[in-house]
Amino acid sequence: MRPADKSPELSSEFNLIQLKEILRDELIAILDTIRGSKALVLDKDLSGALSVIVDFAVLKDHGVEKIFLLDETPLDTGTTKGVIYLTLPHIRKMKLIAEQVRAASQSSANSSAARKEHSLQLVPRRTLLCERVLEEEGVLGDVTIGEYRMDFIPLEDDLLSLELPATTFKELYLDGDFSAIQHVARAVMRLQGYYGFFPRVVGKGDYAQVLADSLSRMRLELVSGGGGGGGASSSVLTMSTLFDSLVIVDRAVDMVTPLLTQLTYEGLISEVYGITNSSVTLGGTSASLPAATPGASSGGSGGANDSQSTGKRRRLMLNGEDAVYREIRNMNFSGVGSLLSKMSRQLQDSYESRHRAKTVQEIRSFVGKLGGLQAEHQSLKSHVSLAETIMRRTQSDDFNSILEIEQALVGGNDLSKEQLAYIEKVLALADPRAHIPGVTAELSEQPLATAPNSIHKVLRVLCLYSLWRGPSFKQKTYDAWYEDVVAAFGHHQTITLDNLRQVGLLAVPSAASAQAVASTAASGPGGSTTLGLLNSVAPSTRPRNPVHTNSIGYLRKSLNLIVSDARETDPEDVSYVYSGYAPLSIRLLQCLVRDPAVYPANPSGRYAALLRPLGDSRAARPALPEGQSTGGVKGGWAGWDDVLNELPGATVDVVQSPSNGDADIAVADAMVRRLGEKAPATLVMFLGGCTFTEIAALRLLSQQHGHRYIIATTQIINGNSFLDPLIQRGGNATKV
């Protein structure tokens, strides 16, 4: 049985890190259900997230002697008294567990040893389907089944992530599997149990609507149950004084942003190396860093330092506890080198101060600071090395060619002959076996200056071209690229291209294909009918009632997505994260909070023709606030109908009543507005993943508005991990 939720005291201050403590305590309670020594078998997709919650020393204190990763390798649990499985509820994994349980039972029978106790904890919830599989395999009676609600993991004091595999978008919009929505809804309800329910829920996208409906239904169920069932806190019936609203951003609303090359320091680390669970895994032994996972290996492990002892890999943690990283992670990479140089000089000056220490008190003061200086020195050394590697990539012709193509597309320009020729060159030099950072394998400590011509690299460019050019995508160009992709990467990639078409990432120019796309949209994701299951209209990544032929072109103008004079250092606008392009998802939030950035005044420069004229009569905009926006959702979507029509999915704007019954909407709305003026934070939930550039942009808005934007997401993605689940694998390999 899962332990009851611990409800933090409601206060005027945030303490999101306490969520990690709650998750750790619940995991310890699960471990303690089996007394004595035990082995822990982890799902590969969960091991990294668990290492963020708890370290091996804590596990060892509670009887864990060995840790394994769940795969087809037979378990050698030795003399341990029990085995605890922590896994996602997938059929394939249930069959693997059944095989291992049967093998353990057979071994015990042959040796007349005591039977081991087996416990299966499904994350985030147990399902009837998994129990049915175990029953068919004949081991249901040999396994104790429970669930471990590993909900939002606080990676930072302003960043919560479910750390799900990067398949959420594909599951929603291709497979028609919306089980992730249930996971998110339970996680959000848990937050509301701690901090009170959000006065207002706003969002955009079909699955944003599904999530909002799920939250409303779950709250009504809680209210009808008296507010105390299932270990839930009664504070869920209380209006939150910390959060003014929940903003839900469906990834389908902005599919462009993940495909672009991220230009912040943290974003480029993700692009070049791959960041997983707030860490990057490097090759070499130049630094002494924590182990990659808490003692986990496919063959079993008894300690946390195994990866260090091999001397082959090291793990660099990337979070706010690192003073150097905290200063540079959100910067545009163009300014990182100069800041690291300044920090190096300051550190050198601090070391030199030991020569000026004359008295015992001065010497004692220096010695007291020495530990911090050494830690800063080690961190600075690691980030200088990373920055040098990334700089080699950013200064390469390959990187700049891709960047010029991206900037031409987002700026509304067609590609030059040279740029089209470069795309053909990338296809001609394709590498079907290229390693993808953060997706297929870790790169070495010194990645190549030129990114391999992987299918991920090719498809990012093709999808960007399709999304931005829209009706200008010529049939001749589409056919040529289609044939080149198939020739370069294999005929099975026709399935990949069809997947991209179905989810709206790759447009098909011909009229016949357009009719096929419309037919697919009418039948729902993956071609299966979902009418009546979720909404009256099947979820889609295409605008429902667009007014303009090229929707994204219109959005470029009306939301001021292109800023020609964006400052990369000491930025004033969120467009700095892409050196002139503002993420559409962030611009939508700025619409909600009435940020002046979405009211382009006196447009000038080479992008002037792209900006919306101030006298545009097609858009009755809300009044521009005086001075800077104070943050927080105040007027909802009022006045932005022209923009919303060009975006896919439903528009969400729900005022949650503070009473158990139905309240007058005007009274409730007035109360929400009053609370919104005082509440210090807004929760921004990304369905389908968010990028490090979007996180950096929201942090800039927090500083500008004097208002905290807490980011919550299903996972953190880049362009490669966003597309990877949609790519068809060759051969008969099965991913566990």
Side-chain angles (χ1 to χ4, degrees), residues 117-178:
E117 186 176 353
H118 290 87
S119 173
L120 171 61
Q121 301 296 324
L122 296 172
V123 182
R125 62 190 179 96
R126 60 189 297 176
T127 63
L128 292 175
L129 179 60
C130 289
E131 295 183 20
R132 179 66 180 272
V133 172
L134 294 175
E135 183 179 13
E136 292 177 350
E137 294 290 328
V139 298
L140 183 61
D142 299 326
V143 180
T144 302
I145 302 177
E147 66 179 24
Y148 175 44
R149 283 189 58 183
M150 192 173 69
D151 295 327
F152 285 126
I153 299 173
L155 302 179
E156 300 284 351
D157 59 0
D158 63 350
L159 176 59
L160 302 172
S161 176
L162 293 174
E163 294 296 271
L164 296 177
T167 56
T168 303
F169 179 81
K170 182 244 186 186
E171 291 171 356
L172 292 176
Y173 282 99
L174 184 64
D175 301 337
D177 177 3
F178 47 95

Side-chain angles (χ1 to χ4, degrees), residues 278-336:
S278 295
S279 67
V280 58
T281 302
L282 308 172
T285 57
S286 59
S288 177
L289 296 168
T293 58
S297 68
S298 60
S301 174
N305 297 320
D306 292 345
S307 64
Q308 290 181 14
S309 62
T310 62
K312 294 182 180 179
R313 294 193 303 168
R314 62 190 182 96
R315 184 188 189 200
L316 177 63
M317 294 301 301
L318 302 175
N319 54 43
E321 296 179 3
D322 183 338
V324 175
Y325 187 66
R326 185 171 61 246
E327 294 295 323
I328 62 177
R329 63 183 177 185
N330 299 319
M331 293 181 62
N332 187 289
F333 188 71
S334 62
V336 169

Side-chain angles (χ1 to χ4, degrees), residues 39-51 66-77 83-87 93 96-97 100 292-301 313 442 736:
L40 185 61
V41 183
L42 301 178
D43 188 330
K44 294 178 181 179
D45 294 326
L46 296 177
S47 60
L50 285 171
S51 69
K66 295 187 176 184
I67 298 181
F68 300 86
L69 293 180
L70 180 62
D71 57 22
E72 296 179 357
T73 305
L75 294 182
D76 180 13
T77 57
V83 180
I84 298 179
Y85 291 90
L86 279 172
T87 178
K93 294 170 183 177
L96 280 178
I97 292 171
Q100 294 180 356
T293 58
S297 68
S298 60
S301 174
R313 294 193 303 168
E442 298 89 355
V736 177

Side-chain angles (χ1 to χ4, degrees), residues 319-457:
N319 54 43
E321 296 179 3
D322 183 338
V324 175
Y325 187 66
R326 185 171 61 246
E327 294 295 323
I328 62 177
R329 63 183 177 185
N330 299 319
M331 293 181 62
N332 187 289
F333 188 71
S334 62
V336 169
S338 60
L339 182 57
L340 286 175
S341 178
K342 292 178 182 178
M343 297 173 76
S344 297
R345 290 195 296 270
Q346 290 176 358
L347 183 61
Q348 182 65 29
D349 292 340
S350 298
Y351 274 122
E352 292 299 327
S353 67
R354 71 185 188 277
H355 299 301
R356 298 189 293 270
K358 303 299 182 182
T359 66
V360 174
Q361 184 176 359
E362 290 174 342
I363 295 175
R364 183 185 298 113
S365 177
F366 174 79
V367 172
K369 296 186 295 183
L370 186 59
L373 292 176
Q374 291 174 335
E376 184 178 349
H377 177 261
Q378 183 62 56
S379 174
L380 194 58
K381 179 181 177 182
S382 297
H383 288 293
V384 167
S385 177
L386 280 175
E388 288 176 345
T389 303
I390 293 172
M391 187 173 296
R392 284 196 295 273
R393 176 70 63 86
T394 59
Q395 291 177 345
S396 68
D397 293 338
D398 169 74
F399 181 88
N400 286 287
S401 296
I402 293 293
L403 199 60
E404 289 173 2
I405 291 173
E406 293 178 357
Q407 292 177 341
L409 291 174
V410 300
N413 303 314
D414 204 352
L415 299 184
S416 65
K417 292 182 179 180
E418 292 77 11
Q419 290 168 336
L420 290 172
Y422 177 77
I423 295 177
E424 293 177 0
K425 176 183 175 182
V426 170
L427 284 165
L429 300 177
D431 183 1
R433 298 183 179 181
H435 287 176
I436 311 302
V439 175
T440 57
E442 298 89 355
L443 295 182
S444 64
E445 188 166 3
Q446 303 294 334
L448 298 174
T450 299
N453 295 333
S454 64
I455 189 172
H456 298 72
K457 179 179 178 179

